[in-house]
Short mmCIF file of all heavy atoms in Angstrom, two decimals:
data_model
loop_
_atom_site.label_atom_id
_atom_site.label_comp_id
_atom_site.label_asym_id
_atom_site.label_seq_id
_atom_site.Cartn_x
_atom_site.Cartn_y
_atom_site.Cartn_z
N MET A 284 0.82 -1.08 0.10
CA MET A 284 -0.04 -0.02 0.01
C MET A 284 0.93 1.20 0.00
O MET A 284 1.70 1.36 0.85
CB MET A 284 -0.88 -0.01 1.17
CG MET A 284 -1.73 1.21 1.44
SD MET A 284 -2.58 1.00 2.98
CE MET A 284 -4.10 1.84 2.56
N SER A 285 0.67 2.13 -0.87
CA SER A 285 1.58 3.35 -0.94
C SER A 285 0.81 4.52 -0.35
O SER A 285 -0.39 4.59 -0.21
CB SER A 285 1.87 3.63 -2.39
OG SER A 285 0.79 4.23 -2.98
N SER A 286 1.62 5.39 0.29
CA SER A 286 1.15 6.56 1.03
C SER A 286 0.72 7.56 -0.03
O SER A 286 1.39 7.78 -1.09
CB SER A 286 2.20 7.11 1.89
OG SER A 286 2.48 6.26 2.98
N PRO A 287 -0.29 8.44 0.23
CA PRO A 287 -0.68 9.50 -0.58
C PRO A 287 0.45 10.48 -0.61
O PRO A 287 1.26 10.55 0.21
CB PRO A 287 -1.91 10.09 0.11
CG PRO A 287 -2.46 9.09 0.90
CD PRO A 287 -1.27 8.20 1.30
N SER A 288 0.47 11.32 -1.56
CA SER A 288 1.56 12.39 -1.71
C SER A 288 1.29 13.56 -1.03
O SER A 288 0.72 14.41 -1.57
CB SER A 288 1.82 12.55 -3.28
OG SER A 288 2.94 13.46 -3.32
N VAL A 289 1.65 13.61 0.18
CA VAL A 289 1.50 14.84 1.09
C VAL A 289 2.86 14.96 1.80
O VAL A 289 3.35 14.00 2.35
CB VAL A 289 0.37 14.53 2.13
CG1 VAL A 289 0.32 15.69 3.19
CG2 VAL A 289 -1.00 14.29 1.55
N ALA A 290 3.31 16.22 1.72
CA ALA A 290 4.57 16.51 2.39
C ALA A 290 4.43 16.90 3.83
O ALA A 290 3.68 17.92 4.03
CB ALA A 290 5.40 17.57 1.54
N LEU A 291 5.09 16.21 4.72
CA LEU A 291 5.07 16.45 6.15
C LEU A 291 6.38 16.98 6.67
O LEU A 291 7.43 16.61 5.92
CB LEU A 291 4.64 15.35 7.00
CG LEU A 291 3.22 14.76 6.63
CD1 LEU A 291 2.95 13.46 7.52
CD2 LEU A 291 2.12 15.77 6.85
N ASP A 292 6.49 17.69 7.68
CA ASP A 292 7.72 17.97 8.41
C ASP A 292 7.82 16.82 9.39
O ASP A 292 6.93 16.62 10.22
CB ASP A 292 7.66 19.34 9.11
CG ASP A 292 7.70 20.42 8.08
OD1 ASP A 292 8.52 20.44 7.17
OD2 ASP A 292 6.80 21.36 8.20
N VAL A 293 8.82 16.01 9.34
CA VAL A 293 9.13 14.95 10.16
C VAL A 293 10.26 15.28 11.07
O VAL A 293 11.40 15.36 10.40
CB VAL A 293 9.40 13.61 9.35
CG1 VAL A 293 9.58 12.41 10.30
CG2 VAL A 293 8.29 13.31 8.37
N VAL A 294 10.04 15.44 12.24
CA VAL A 294 11.11 16.01 13.12
C VAL A 294 11.38 15.02 14.22
O VAL A 294 10.48 14.63 14.99
CB VAL A 294 10.69 17.38 13.74
CG1 VAL A 294 11.71 18.02 14.66
CG2 VAL A 294 10.30 18.39 12.58
N CYS A 295 12.72 14.70 14.40
CA CYS A 295 13.19 13.83 15.41
C CYS A 295 13.86 14.75 16.50
O CYS A 295 14.85 15.43 16.22
CB CYS A 295 14.05 12.81 14.99
SG CYS A 295 14.46 11.57 16.30
N LEU A 296 13.36 14.63 17.77
CA LEU A 296 14.05 15.39 18.87
C LEU A 296 14.80 14.35 19.67
O LEU A 296 14.23 13.43 20.20
CB LEU A 296 12.96 16.10 19.74
CG LEU A 296 12.08 17.10 19.00
CD1 LEU A 296 10.80 17.40 19.68
CD2 LEU A 296 12.84 18.35 18.63
N CYS A 297 16.13 14.59 19.66
CA CYS A 297 17.00 13.62 20.35
C CYS A 297 18.06 14.29 21.17
O CYS A 297 18.09 15.54 21.17
CB CYS A 297 17.69 12.71 19.25
SG CYS A 297 16.54 11.39 18.64
N ALA A 298 18.91 13.53 21.70
CA ALA A 298 20.04 14.06 22.47
C ALA A 298 21.15 13.15 22.09
O ALA A 298 21.14 11.92 21.96
CB ALA A 298 19.82 14.10 23.93
N ASP A 299 22.44 13.76 21.95
CA ASP A 299 23.61 13.07 21.54
C ASP A 299 24.00 11.94 22.59
O ASP A 299 24.53 10.87 22.06
CB ASP A 299 24.83 14.03 21.41
CG ASP A 299 25.99 13.33 20.85
OD1 ASP A 299 25.93 12.60 19.80
OD2 ASP A 299 27.08 13.41 21.47
N TRP A 300 23.63 12.22 23.87
CA TRP A 300 23.99 11.22 24.90
C TRP A 300 23.13 10.10 24.93
O TRP A 300 23.41 9.08 25.56
CB TRP A 300 24.13 11.93 26.28
CG TRP A 300 22.88 12.61 26.51
CD1 TRP A 300 22.65 14.04 26.39
CD2 TRP A 300 21.59 12.11 27.05
NE1 TRP A 300 21.43 14.33 26.77
CE2 TRP A 300 20.77 13.26 27.26
CE3 TRP A 300 21.21 10.87 27.37
CZ2 TRP A 300 19.38 13.08 27.70
CZ3 TRP A 300 19.87 10.79 27.82
CH2 TRP A 300 19.03 11.80 27.97
N CYS A 301 21.97 10.16 24.24
CA CYS A 301 21.06 9.08 24.29
C CYS A 301 21.32 7.85 23.33
O CYS A 301 21.41 8.10 22.14
CB CYS A 301 19.58 9.67 24.01
SG CYS A 301 18.39 8.50 23.75
N GLY A 302 21.56 6.76 23.88
CA GLY A 302 21.85 5.55 23.11
C GLY A 302 20.72 5.16 22.19
O GLY A 302 21.03 4.72 21.14
N THR A 303 19.54 5.31 22.65
CA THR A 303 18.38 4.86 21.77
C THR A 303 18.23 5.83 20.59
O THR A 303 17.93 5.51 19.47
CB THR A 303 17.03 5.00 22.55
OG1 THR A 303 17.16 4.10 23.70
CG2 THR A 303 15.94 4.59 21.79
N CYS A 304 18.61 7.17 20.87
CA CYS A 304 18.65 8.07 19.80
C CYS A 304 19.73 7.77 18.72
O CYS A 304 19.42 7.86 17.47
CB CYS A 304 18.87 9.51 20.28
SG CYS A 304 17.54 10.20 21.25
N ARG A 305 20.82 7.34 19.20
CA ARG A 305 21.88 6.93 18.23
C ARG A 305 21.42 5.71 17.41
O ARG A 305 21.68 5.62 16.27
CB ARG A 305 23.22 6.66 18.99
CG ARG A 305 23.85 7.92 19.57
CD ARG A 305 25.27 7.65 20.04
NE ARG A 305 25.39 6.71 21.18
CZ ARG A 305 25.20 7.03 22.33
NH1 ARG A 305 25.03 8.27 22.72
NH2 ARG A 305 25.37 6.07 23.37
N GLU A 306 20.65 4.80 18.14
CA GLU A 306 20.20 3.72 17.30
C GLU A 306 19.12 4.17 16.34
O GLU A 306 19.08 3.58 15.31
CB GLU A 306 19.59 2.72 18.41
CG GLU A 306 18.96 1.43 17.84
CD GLU A 306 18.33 0.61 18.91
OE1 GLU A 306 18.74 0.68 20.16
OE2 GLU A 306 17.49 -0.20 18.50
N TYR A 307 18.29 5.07 16.75
CA TYR A 307 17.21 5.59 15.91
C TYR A 307 17.82 6.35 14.63
O TYR A 307 17.12 6.47 13.65
CB TYR A 307 16.28 6.48 16.66
CG TYR A 307 15.06 6.75 16.04
CD1 TYR A 307 14.13 5.84 15.63
CD2 TYR A 307 14.72 8.13 15.58
CE1 TYR A 307 12.98 6.16 15.07
CE2 TYR A 307 13.58 8.45 15.08
CZ TYR A 307 12.66 7.38 14.74
OH TYR A 307 11.52 7.73 14.13
N ALA A 308 18.96 6.97 14.72
CA ALA A 308 19.51 7.69 13.66
C ALA A 308 19.53 6.91 12.37
O ALA A 308 19.13 7.53 11.25
CB ALA A 308 21.01 8.27 13.89
N SER A 309 19.94 5.66 12.35
CA SER A 309 19.86 4.84 11.07
C SER A 309 18.35 4.62 10.60
O SER A 309 18.15 4.54 9.46
CB SER A 309 20.60 3.53 11.26
OG SER A 309 19.96 2.82 12.24
N VAL A 310 17.51 4.43 11.55
CA VAL A 310 16.12 4.27 11.29
C VAL A 310 15.51 5.55 10.59
O VAL A 310 14.87 5.47 9.50
CB VAL A 310 15.24 3.81 12.48
CG1 VAL A 310 13.69 3.89 12.11
CG2 VAL A 310 15.65 2.47 12.99
N PHE A 311 15.96 6.66 11.06
CA PHE A 311 15.52 7.99 10.57
C PHE A 311 16.05 8.21 9.15
O PHE A 311 15.36 8.63 8.34
CB PHE A 311 15.84 9.06 11.57
CG PHE A 311 15.28 10.34 11.36
CD1 PHE A 311 13.86 10.49 11.69
CD2 PHE A 311 15.80 11.54 10.82
CE1 PHE A 311 13.20 11.64 11.57
CE2 PHE A 311 15.21 12.67 10.70
CZ PHE A 311 13.82 12.80 11.05
N GLU A 312 17.36 7.77 8.95
CA GLU A 312 17.86 7.85 7.54
C GLU A 312 17.17 6.93 6.64
O GLU A 312 16.88 7.25 5.43
CB GLU A 312 19.35 7.43 7.71
CG GLU A 312 20.24 7.95 6.68
CD GLU A 312 21.75 7.74 6.89
OE1 GLU A 312 22.18 8.32 7.86
OE2 GLU A 312 22.22 6.87 6.18
N ALA A 313 16.84 5.73 7.09
CA ALA A 313 16.14 4.81 6.25
C ALA A 313 14.71 5.35 5.87
O ALA A 313 14.29 5.12 4.74
CB ALA A 313 16.04 3.40 6.84
N LEU A 314 14.18 6.00 6.85
CA LEU A 314 12.83 6.62 6.51
C LEU A 314 12.86 7.66 5.50
O LEU A 314 11.93 7.74 4.60
CB LEU A 314 12.33 7.17 7.89
CG LEU A 314 10.96 7.76 7.84
CD1 LEU A 314 9.80 6.78 7.54
CD2 LEU A 314 10.52 8.44 9.14
N GLN A 315 14.00 8.52 5.49
CA GLN A 315 14.14 9.51 4.57
C GLN A 315 14.26 8.82 3.18
O GLN A 315 13.70 9.35 2.09
CB GLN A 315 15.38 10.36 4.89
CG GLN A 315 15.27 11.15 6.07
CD GLN A 315 16.42 11.90 6.48
OE1 GLN A 315 17.02 12.64 5.59
NE2 GLN A 315 16.95 11.77 7.75
N GLN A 316 14.92 7.80 3.08
CA GLN A 316 15.05 7.06 1.83
C GLN A 316 13.77 6.46 1.31
O GLN A 316 13.41 6.49 0.08
CB GLN A 316 16.10 5.88 1.93
CG GLN A 316 17.48 6.37 2.36
CD GLN A 316 18.23 7.15 1.24
OE1 GLN A 316 18.08 6.89 0.04
NE2 GLN A 316 18.89 8.18 1.63
N ALA A 317 12.95 5.93 2.23
CA ALA A 317 11.78 5.26 1.93
C ALA A 317 10.55 6.24 1.55
O ALA A 317 9.70 5.96 0.84
CB ALA A 317 11.34 4.40 3.07
N ALA A 318 10.62 7.45 2.13
CA ALA A 318 9.58 8.44 2.03
C ALA A 318 10.12 9.79 1.74
O ALA A 318 10.06 10.68 2.57
CB ALA A 318 8.59 8.41 3.18
N PRO A 319 10.85 9.98 0.54
CA PRO A 319 11.51 11.18 0.28
C PRO A 319 10.59 12.48 0.04
O PRO A 319 11.14 13.60 0.03
CB PRO A 319 12.36 10.87 -0.93
CG PRO A 319 11.51 9.87 -1.59
CD PRO A 319 10.91 9.01 -0.49
N GLN A 320 9.37 12.20 -0.08
CA GLN A 320 8.39 13.43 -0.20
C GLN A 320 8.33 14.31 0.96
O GLN A 320 7.87 15.40 0.85
CB GLN A 320 7.04 12.96 -0.77
CG GLN A 320 6.18 12.29 0.32
CD GLN A 320 6.32 10.84 0.54
OE1 GLN A 320 7.44 10.32 0.20
NE2 GLN A 320 5.33 10.17 0.95
N HIS A 321 8.72 13.81 2.15
CA HIS A 321 8.65 14.61 3.47
C HIS A 321 9.93 15.42 3.64
O HIS A 321 10.88 15.15 3.07
CB HIS A 321 8.37 13.69 4.57
CG HIS A 321 7.05 12.89 4.33
ND1 HIS A 321 5.84 13.37 4.32
CD2 HIS A 321 6.91 11.49 4.27
CE1 HIS A 321 4.93 12.46 4.09
NE2 HIS A 321 5.57 11.31 4.14
N ARG A 322 9.83 16.41 4.50
CA ARG A 322 10.98 17.17 4.91
C ARG A 322 11.47 16.68 6.26
O ARG A 322 10.55 16.62 7.22
CB ARG A 322 10.68 18.65 4.91
CG ARG A 322 10.29 19.26 3.59
CD ARG A 322 9.88 20.65 3.59
NE ARG A 322 8.66 20.86 4.41
CZ ARG A 322 7.48 20.68 3.92
NH1 ARG A 322 7.38 20.34 2.61
NH2 ARG A 322 6.33 20.87 4.64
#
Side-chain angles (χ1 to χ4, degrees):
M284 173 183 216
S285 73
S286 293
S288 182
V289 173
L291 300 178
D292 292 310
V293 182
V294 181
C295 186
L296 300 165
C297 283
D299 186 54
W300 51 262
C301 172
T303 304
C304 292
R305 287 191 300 273
E306 181 183 334
Y307 191 65
S309 63
V310 171
F311 199 68
E312 199 171 295
L314 182 63
Q315 292 176 54
Q316 300 290 322
Q320 73 273 24
H321 302 298
R322 292 176 298 277

